[in-house]
């Protein structure tokens, strides 16, 4: 797994023309104040739902996500300033301490069930567990955990693994959009984004839909 990851990053690094992706391989744990964060999330929960459990399938759930992943993603919205993302305006007036505190707040909330999707679950489970060797797709569980609840070493391993997101109970339509973004090379500004871009590169639309429906149904 480790060798494969390095290979994927090295290959993408050689082929793509992105400007210096942020290196998260030595990133530290983040330390936020959840109580201070709670004071800043009124606007967020309008879209991301009560305590970060989004009711609209196109909006991501934030509850129970790793603080490190949340913080880094928020900082990424700020850095990229992509006019197409509604998040750009949301993070504009927040400083670095706000982002850490908000991340700590949502990480400490409990994730509830995603709105149920009625898709084919067998295909999603198979790709998640075994990948698709014929198309060079690595098994998702190696990095996102057997129960899709984050990297197996997120809590007790090197801090970099806390930057691998929890996927279980995430909203299906959001997952579909996000996987297509990685596949199409639209997110490439960190070493982690490049890892995920390498994994998603050969995913077809049907596999993406099946993975998303299966992941949304996990608890
Ligand atoms: C107008 C609706 C809206 C509001 C308000 C909003 N968001 Fe978002 N948020 C979105 C959408 C849509 C996405 C996914 C789009 C994208 O990735 O560009 C998203 C993505 C995110 C993500 C990435 C999730 C992931 O799993 O990668 C985080 C973290 C986030 N929002 C946090 C916040 C916080 C914190 C606030 C309040 C300061 C906030 N959002 C306010 C709509 C909103
Ligand atoms: C080699 C490790 C690795 C493998 C294998 C892997 N991922 Fe990832 N994945 C990551 C990392 C690291 C990130 C964080 C990327 C970022 O910060 O932009 C990520 C991010 C994601 C996200 C974004 C989550 C969010 O909340 O926005 C989704 C969805 C995802 N992966 C799904 C999958 C699926 C489905 C598979 C299997 C087909 C898979 N991953 C396989 C490492 C991996």
């Amino acid at each position: 797994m480790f060798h494969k990851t390095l290979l994927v990053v090295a290959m993408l690094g050689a082929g793509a023309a992105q400007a210096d992706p942020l290196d998260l391989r030595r990133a530290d744990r983040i330390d936020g104040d959840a109580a201070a964060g709670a004071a800043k999330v009124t606007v967020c929960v309008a879209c991301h739902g009560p305590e970060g459990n989004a009711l609209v399938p196109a909006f991501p759930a934030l509850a129970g996500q790793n603080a490190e992943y949340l913080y880094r993603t928020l900082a990424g919205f700020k850095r990229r300033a992509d006019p197409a993302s509604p998040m750009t305006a949301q993070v504009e007036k927040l400083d670095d301490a706000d982002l850490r505190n908000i991340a700590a707040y949502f990480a400490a909330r409990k994730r509830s069930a995603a709105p149920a999707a009625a898709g084919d679950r067998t295909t999603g489970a198979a790709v998640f567990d075994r990948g698709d060797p014929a198309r060079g797709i690595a098994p998702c569980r190696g990095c996102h955990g057997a129960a899709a609840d984050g990297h197996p070493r997120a809590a007790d391993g090197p801090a970099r693994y806390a930057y691998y997101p929890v996927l279980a109970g995430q909203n299906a339509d959001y997952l579909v959009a996000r996987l297509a973004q990685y596949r199409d090379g639209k997110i490439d500004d960190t070493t982690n984004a490049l890892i995920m871009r390498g994994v998603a590169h050969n995913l077809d639309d049907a596999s993406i839909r099946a993975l998303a429906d299966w992941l949304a149904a996990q608890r």
Side-chain angles (χ1 to χ4, degrees), residues 70-219:
L70 287 173
Y71 165 70
R72 190 33 70 196
T73 307
L74 288 167
F77 287 125
K78 222 174 150 109
R79 207 176 51 249
R80 287 198 299 274
D82 174 3
S85 174
M87 284 304 299
T88 302
Q90 299 300 323
V91 292
E92 228 166 33
K93 295 202 177 65
L94 297 170
D95 64 24
D96 195 65
D98 292 331
L99 301 186
R100 287 168 194 265
N101 296 343
I102 289 171
Y105 169 81
F106 283 117
R109 310 273 72 77
K110 197 172 155 39
R111 181 165 297 193
S112 61
D120 148 35
R121 304 256 167 88
T122 326
T123 308
V127 179
F128 189 85
D129 284 340
R130 298 193 293 278
D132 188 343
R135 285 187 291 163
I137 297 164
C140 320
R141 67 178 284 161
C143 293
H144 291 286
D149 56 353
H151 194 283
R153 303 203 58 205
D156 62 356
R160 66 172 178 275
Y161 293 130
Y163 291 79
Y164 288 42
V166 171
L167 304 176
Q170 184 54 275
N171 289 337
D173 290 357
Y174 168 72
L175 289 171
V176 167
R178 187 87 157 123
L179 284 167
Q181 284 180 324
Y182 284 119
R183 178 191 60 196
D184 301 340
K186 298 212 170 110
I187 316 172
D188 61 0
D189 61 342
T190 68
T191 48
N192 280 354
L194 291 178
I195 291 172
M196 196 49 219
R197 176 181 164 175
V199 172
H201 190 62
N202 285 331
L203 280 176
D204 58 77
D205 288 342
S207 306
I208 286 181
R209 187 75 239 177
L211 280 160
D213 287 341
W214 182 78
L215 285 167
Q218 301 313 299
R219 300 290 167 255

